[in-house]
Amino acid sequence: MDIGIGLPNTVPGTEAHTLVDWARRAEEAGFSTLGTIGRLVYPGYEELIALTAAAVVTSRIRLTTSVLLGPLHTNTALLAKQAATLDRISEGRLVLGIGLGARGDDYTTSGLPTKGRGDRLSEQLAEMRRIWSGEERGFAGAIGPSPVRDGGPPLIVGGSSERSLRRAARLGDGWIMTAGTPEMFAGQGPAADAAWREAGRPGKPRKLSLAYYALGPDARARADAYLLDYYGFMGEVAHQVAEAAAVGPEMVRSYATGFAEAGCDELIFVPTASTPDQLDLLAEAIA
């Protein structure tokens, strides 16, 4: 199983230079990918722009939106162009994780209804595939640039509902579970495999997951401060998310082992603080 690390693009107070330094040091530490969290109404950095900054200072590490909220990008042609541009700048390292999100305010602020957003996402995924294939759209031809990989960047679709799993199987290259525990992944992963088989796809989907973490003497306080704020709109569930965060080296290693045994292909540990020690301590914990 590959182990990636989140870019702290949604951690409040994170300076721009911190994102750039984090990206460079994550690659040096050997993490498989840099993941970003998508949310509109929150004091964080937009994912594609943050990953473009990361692409400029790295050369090997994958760049994964985990996940970008697709329906907020109502101009699908423009989103496809932006993703292809980042894919080209990074020389094919983009992995476009995409989903719906759980916060109504992101949609309200955008002047968009939440009803029907799943259908809109399905249409969007199919449309991006057509654009990346080079389908002509006007006098000048196709919408460019063309992605590095034929068919475009890998599409990893998020969501735990039956419809989301079917969407991932029909239109994606894989599936990603939002932050949780190995036990949660063990329960949802087989459903993703089953949807893949039912869609007539060969092999298995690439399966990813997020897991929040904090390390160091004040790990629990750091995890709680961020997660109870970020997920505050969910009420009591926010406490469950915070409790599931890996808050010690042994818990980090246990999560890595548990997710691997449950069939996860890549686990992205998402930081709840952006101080440099968090990256170093995670690298030490999984070494």
Side-chain angles (χ1 to χ4, degrees):
M1 182 184 70
D2 292 335
I3 295 182
I5 189 170
L7 191 67
N9 68 299
T10 59
V11 175
T14 300
E15 298 290 344
H17 68 82
T18 298
L19 291 181
V20 173
D21 291 343
W22 188 285
R24 184 185 295 111
R25 293 174 63 242
E27 179 169 87
E28 292 171 353
F31 289 104
S32 61
T33 198
L34 278 166
T36 54
I37 301 295
R39 184 167 178 178
L40 182 60
V41 186
Y42 201 73
Y45 296 92
E46 196 278 330
E47 310 97 283
L48 293 176
I49 294 175
L51 287 178
T52 299
V56 173
V57 297
T58 58
S59 61
R60 300 182 305 278
I61 195 168
R62 286 193 293 269
L63 309 169
T64 302
T65 55
S66 54
V67 296
L68 177 144
L69 307 186
L72 298 187
H73 298 260
T74 55
N75 187 332
T76 300
L78 178 57
L79 175 60
K81 187 180 186 74
Q82 290 171 326
T85 298
L86 175 51
D87 190 56
R88 274 286 166 189
I89 290 173
S90 65
E91 299 182 319
R93 290 183 284 139
L94 175 64
V95 176
L96 192 64
I98 193 163
L100 299 174
R103 295 158 301 275
D105 53 6
D106 287 342
Y107 286 83
T108 301
T109 299
S110 302
L112 298 171
T114 55
K115 184 177 181 179
R117 58 184 179 162
D119 291 336
R120 296 198 301 273
L121 177 58
S122 294
E123 294 167 0
Q124 188 172 47
L125 294 171
E127 174 73 351
M128 286 193 292
R129 292 285 199 199
R130 291 191 291 269
I131 291 171
W132 291 335
S133 72
E135 187 177 276
E136 293 190 5
R137 296 302 176 97
F139 179 80
I143 296 171
S146 58
V148 172
R149 190 186 82 153
D150 289 342
L155 283 173
I156 306 297
V157 183
S160 58
S161 70
E162 185 177 343
R163 289 192 65 189
S164 294
L165 295 174
R166 289 201 303 266
R167 183 179 301 114
R170 288 188 297 107
L171 300 166
D173 298 296
W175 165 78
I176 184 168
M177 186 182 83
T178 53
T181 65
E183 292 75 19
M184 292 171 62
F185 189 89
Q188 296 184 32
D193 290 337
W196 192 265
R197 291 192 300 271
E198 291 169 5
R201 303 287 296 274
K204 291 184 177 182
R206 183 164 180 257
K207 298 191 290 292
L208 293 75
S209 184
L210 306 181
Y212 287 109
Y213 85 93
L215 295 169
D218 56 351
R220 172 47 63 191
R222 285 187 169 194
D224 287 349
Y226 171 68
L227 294 171
L228 294 179
D229 179 60
Y230 189 82
Y231 288 101
F233 69 98
M234 298 176 70
E236 184 59 32
V237 175
H239 291 273
Q240 298 174 17
V241 175
E243 289 171 4
V247 291
E250 291 186 1
M251 195 170 180
V252 164
R253 289 190 285 270
S254 174
Y255 268 35
T257 299
F259 274 98
E261 291 176 347
C264 185
D265 296 302
E266 184 168 54
L267 175 61
I268 303 173
F269 281 105
V270 181
T272 55
S274 56
T275 51
D277 66 310
Q278 293 301 295
L279 192 154
D280 296 334
L281 290 170
L282 181 64
E284 292 173 8
I286 63 173

